[in-house]
Amino acid sequence: MASVLVASNRGPLSYTLADDGTLGARRGGGGLVSGLSAALAEQPEALWVCAALSAGDREAVRRGVSEPGVRMLALDPAVYDDAYNGIANSVLWFLHHHLYDVPREPVFDAEFRRRWESYRSYNRAFAEALAEQAAEGAEVLVQDYHLALVPGQLRELRPDLRIAHFTHTPWASSEYLRMLPEDIREELLWGMLGADELGFHTWEWASTFIGGAYIDSAEGVAEGFSPSGDPWRGVHHRKGGGPRRGTRVRVYGLGVDGEELRSLAHRPEVDDRLAALRAEVGDRKTIVRVDRTELSKNVLRGLLAYRELLRERPEWRGRVVHLASAYPSRQDLAVYRAYTASVAELAEEINTEFGTEDWQPVLLSVKDDFTRSLAAYRMADVALINPVRDGMNLVAKEIPVVSEAGCVLVLSTGAGAYRELREHALTVNPYDVSETARALHQALTMPASERAERTKHLAATATALPPQRWFLQQLEALREPAD
């Protein structure tokens, strides 16, 4: 039985199934997976519960193949698709990021209800696995909007457990949350309020949740408004006439592991890619962005701002290159495929309008290529991060840590990292293309000494709470006595 458990949709490893039937295991990438893995390794009897995402994962479960400390759940693929694509990514993600085209969306009909039942079943599978595997009084840390119902479901199955939930996205405003049918909205809040501890990246998202729980749920009330600096604000929940129980809401601004990130960025394969990019860019300035082609990342307006810079400031023609990495995201959803295509089309339009025989204004990579991204980080003069709404945005923290000559961060007010980084960044309205173009010009003309000083402060802030410490702080909070 496990004394510390983590639950997430995506786990720390995945399996591939070769043509000859052999299974191969691959560790997941990224600082969060590395940090959680390292933190769990220090905990006795720890377990990571995750979904079997691929055919290889499901075959590993069928054969009973696993690694110590990891349990994969093989769900019916149709149920998983409904839960993951039909609800988590097409409803909850759109709500929390305020992405709906409101005259047309959302539509909550019989098909939505069918998919919600799959989402409920998907969460129930996690709750039952956690209940089965957890030791008496164990600590359970549930990750993200995919598993928003798990705390409430698990509380019913195992009231002895200490349960935390962390939301890596923003939280929907009350106006957006109230788009949901009343019973669905209350079930969502009931699920979240089953936790002893709720974590968010920023106080803005935490306070938005508290306000929504107070306004929108008949069974949740916000308690008192904590003075500045108080680490938590209380929310209480009562279901079915049962006793009141406190849910504490806290903020943990996830950062990056600077040492690990710099090590990754200086591997031989990154050095090779850096040399190739430098040969292509020459002695020109670079504006770097690395994003998934996710609707909230605002890639199109970033490209429009770059185009306006070249139109309004012709002195930059031939003297700057926009290194853009756009990882295809959720290509099984038509709206994301269309957005990815629009990004590629706009980049090509800019190259056609301004490009010359020896200068391509935009070097766009539309594929998952972390090696190229790290090379671009190292040569960044300017980092452009302009999401319309983001839980945190770790790229805004990663680039200043890795940039070799120092970079100017152009950061939108929609990024979760905004309040942490705004003092030493150039901040912009994510919808204001002209303001963003002016900020790019200011960044490109900034004196080297000021750029270096800003980068130093940005890197210090970015590494203040690396993933391992971020996780351990939540675990320590969960172990505090209940009120």
Side-chain angles (χ1 to χ4, degrees), residues 97-365:
H97 289 85
H98 294 184
L99 292 176
Y100 278 124
D101 178 8
V102 175
R104 296 178 176 85
E105 302 169 311
V107 175
F108 298 124
D109 54 10
E111 178 64 11
F112 162 76
R113 293 281 177 173
R114 187 188 66 77
R115 290 173 174 171
W116 184 262
E117 182 58 40
S118 293
Y119 180 77
R120 185 184 293 129
S121 298
Y122 163 75
N123 276 250
R124 172 66 64 172
F126 272 85
E128 290 174 350
L130 292 166
E132 177 186 331
Q133 297 286 303
E136 182 73 19
E139 293 106 10
V140 181
L141 296 100
V142 182
Q143 303 298 306
D144 227 358
Y145 63 101
H146 312 91
L147 302 176
L149 303 184
V150 166
Q153 293 172 339
L154 184 56
R155 177 67 58 198
E156 289 186 330
L157 295 170
R158 291 287 303 274
D160 60 295
L161 301 179
R162 298 289 293 170
I163 304 169
H165 185 283
F166 192 91
T167 299
H168 292 266
T169 65
W171 187 263
S173 67
S174 179
E175 292 79 8
Y176 252 74
L177 199 64
R178 288 170 71 93
M179 290 179 177
L180 288 172
E182 183 177 2
D183 61 318
I184 300 297
R185 184 172 70 246
E186 291 195 355
E187 184 178 1
L188 180 65
L189 292 170
W190 166 82
M192 294 285 285
L193 291 171
D196 298 286
E197 297 271 343
L198 292 176
F200 295 88
H201 282 303
T202 73
W203 273 120
E204 181 176 0
W205 311 141
S207 59
T208 301
F209 173 83
I210 291 170
Y214 179 70
I215 294 169
D216 295 321
S217 175
E219 301 185 2
V221 295
E223 284 221 332
F225 202 78
S226 300
S228 177
D230 195 330
W232 61 274
R233 299 170 185 182
V235 176
H236 282 75
H237 177 57
R238 180 174 58 194
K239 187 188 179 194
R244 287 184 175 236
R245 182 188 50 75
T247 296
R248 295 184 291 202
V249 180
R250 310 199 195 215
V251 170
Y252 304 89
L254 177 63
V256 301
D257 185 327
E259 184 177 341
E260 179 189 36
L261 186 60
R262 293 186 190 99
S263 176
L264 288 171
H266 287 84
R267 293 174 298 170
E269 58 266 36
V270 180
D271 292 337
D272 292 343
R273 187 63 63 87
L274 179 63
L277 281 177
R278 281 181 170 154
E280 196 168 6
V281 170
D283 60 357
R284 300 177 177 93
K285 295 274 193 179
T286 58
I287 299 171
V288 171
R289 81 171 303 142
V290 175
D291 279 309
R292 292 176 292 113
T293 52
E294 211 300 307
L295 307 183
S296 67
K297 299 298 183 182
N298 211 20
V299 180
L300 286 175
R301 288 191 187 90
L303 285 169
L304 290 172
Y306 180 62
R307 184 174 70 181
E308 186 161 318
L309 171 75
L310 297 179
R311 286 177 174 175
E312 301 297 320
R313 296 282 185 172
E315 67 267 28
W316 286 114
R317 297 176 191 175
R319 295 179 52 219
V320 64
V321 172
H322 188 10
L323 285 173
S325 293
Y327 297 178
S329 176
R330 300 172 184 165
Q331 295 301 289
D332 42 1
L333 298 178
V335 65
Y336 282 87
R337 292 195 299 273
Y339 190 79
T340 302
S342 296
V343 167
E345 289 167 7
L346 181 53
E348 183 57 35
E349 288 175 12
I350 294 170
N351 286 333
T352 299
E353 180 176 354
F354 297 105
T356 63
E357 189 175 324
D358 62 350
W359 173 57
Q360 186 170 322
V362 182
L363 297 178
L364 174 66
S365 172

